[in-house]
Amino acid sequence: MQAPQTISDEAFPEWPWNEVPQALLNALETSLRQELHDGAVYLLIDPFLGDVEPPIDGHPRHAVPGEGTQVPAARWPYVIELEDAQDPLLARSIEWAAHEHLRACINGSGAYRIGGWLQPHAGNGGSALSRQLGALLIADASSRTRYLRLADRRVLALLNPFQPPVETCGIDWAQQLTGIARWIYLDSNFKLRVLQGREGPVAHKSLRLDVAHRRLVAEAEVVNRSLMAWQGFRHPLPDDALAQVSAVLQRARSRGLHEPVDLAAYVVEALRFPAFEQFPELQGCIDRAHQTQQLLADRLRALRCHWS
């Protein structure tokens, strides 16, 4: 489900932006507050690539259990409790989320620390919510060391795309998130997405994933690098962006590419320029990049006149 928006994309400056438009931040703040009910709001933080700066003080912090994993405590997610939807930290966190995504689009990668805004159903407080999140972050109940980085909202978005790839079945989020009234996060198009769980006691269970979902999570780095690099040139991304990226990735691998940065360079070139994959010397170009240990993106940039 997508939260209601209060402003159209046409009202924003031409893409790419140097800064996140204030009109967008205002619209997101209004939309998020409309989506939340009375009571505490819980801000999920993912410090895997470094914590938020400056540190968040003056708000209760709930530790998310992570026993049995190999992730250092300093890099493990935690939850900050906001008094309600009027808490000034809510607006600040929206701004952080939007800015970190814009930086990633410009640079092709980056840290995403704002995992989203959550509210449990009545009777389930911050401690219960944190324990439930701790269970969801374990990828496989039979292997307690597998970390499923749902606190990185890009991973959450891969598992909840607008149009799933044909080989995956949708996750029953209502069942899986029983006890969580809403989990709201900012997607790649700077829009709010909402996951809703059924009422009831919190469920301390791992997220149930099929083989296709596991494969998608395993490829999260290269898929997200590709999406961010593509969005550097196209905004908004189409609803079937994940399916398009996945299809091109298969062709890129068939040409012998393995490194995420090179795979992403191939994907974004193919999606930007339809003639790219028909370039007669493409395989030779890739092979020479391997032989010289040159980044594929640099070699493609030098030859782009042949297909652009």
Side-chain angles (χ1 to χ4, degrees), residues 194-221:
V194 185
L195 297 172
Q196 296 177 308
R198 295 175 182 169
E199 292 193 43
V202 296
H204 298 148
K205 297 180 179 179
S206 302
L207 189 63
R208 189 173 301 167
L209 303 177
D210 62 21
V211 173
H213 286 126
R214 293 181 186 280
R215 186 183 307 118
L216 192 57
V217 170
E219 295 182 340
E221 180 183 0

Side-chain angles (χ1 to χ4, degrees), residues 60-260:
R61 177 181 296 209
H62 298 271
V64 173
E67 294 82 2
T69 69
Q70 304 299 315
V71 181
R75 301 174 68 185
W76 189 256
Y78 60 91
V79 171
I80 295 293
E81 183 174 339
L82 284 63
E83 183 176 356
D84 54 30
Q86 304 307 314
D87 192 310
L89 183 56
L90 187 80
R92 288 174 58 201
S93 62
I94 294 170
E95 185 174 353
W96 291 338
H99 278 287
E100 65 190 10
H101 180 53
L102 180 60
R103 286 194 298 270
C105 291
I106 293 171
N107 299 324
S109 64
Y112 283 59
R113 297 179 174 91
I114 305 302
W117 303 268
L118 297 91
Q119 286 189 311
H121 284 292
N124 302 324
S127 297
L129 174 64
S130 297
R131 291 194 300 272
Q132 181 173 11
L133 289 173
L136 288 169
L137 296 179
I138 303 302
D140 187 341
S142 66
S143 177
R144 303 301 293 182
T145 60
R146 293 288 304 280
Y147 176 30
L148 178 60
R149 286 190 61 197
L150 291 178
D152 183 329
R153 64 183 187 272
R154 292 168 297 185
V155 176
L156 191 63
L158 289 182
L159 298 174
N160 182 45
F162 281 111
Q163 291 186 11
V166 293
E167 69 272 13
T168 64
C169 297
I171 293 173
D172 185 352
W173 290 105
Q175 175 64 34
Q176 296 280 284
L177 299 183
T178 296
I180 297 177
R182 52 190 49 77
W183 183 340
I184 308 169
Y185 64 93
L186 190 67
D187 74 6
S188 59
N189 283 333
F190 297 93
K191 296 185 183 297
L192 298 176
R193 301 284 301 281
V194 185
L195 297 172
Q196 296 177 308
R198 295 175 182 169
E199 292 193 43
V202 296
H204 298 148
K205 297 180 179 179
S206 302
L207 189 63
R208 189 173 301 167
L209 303 177
D210 62 21
V211 173
H213 286 126
R214 293 181 186 280
R215 186 183 307 118
L216 192 57
V217 170
E219 295 182 340
E221 180 183 0
V222 65
V223 170
N224 283 318
R225 277 183 176 272
S226 301
L227 289 168
M228 288 181 290
W230 188 17
Q231 193 167 14
F233 301 97
R234 175 175 179 174
H235 175 75
L237 290 176
D239 287 351
D240 66 343
L242 176 58
Q244 290 194 50
V245 165
S246 298
V248 181
L249 272 175
Q250 292 184 23
R251 301 197 294 270
R253 288 196 171 94
S254 72
R255 290 185 175 274
L257 292 170
H258 304 287
E259 294 298 322

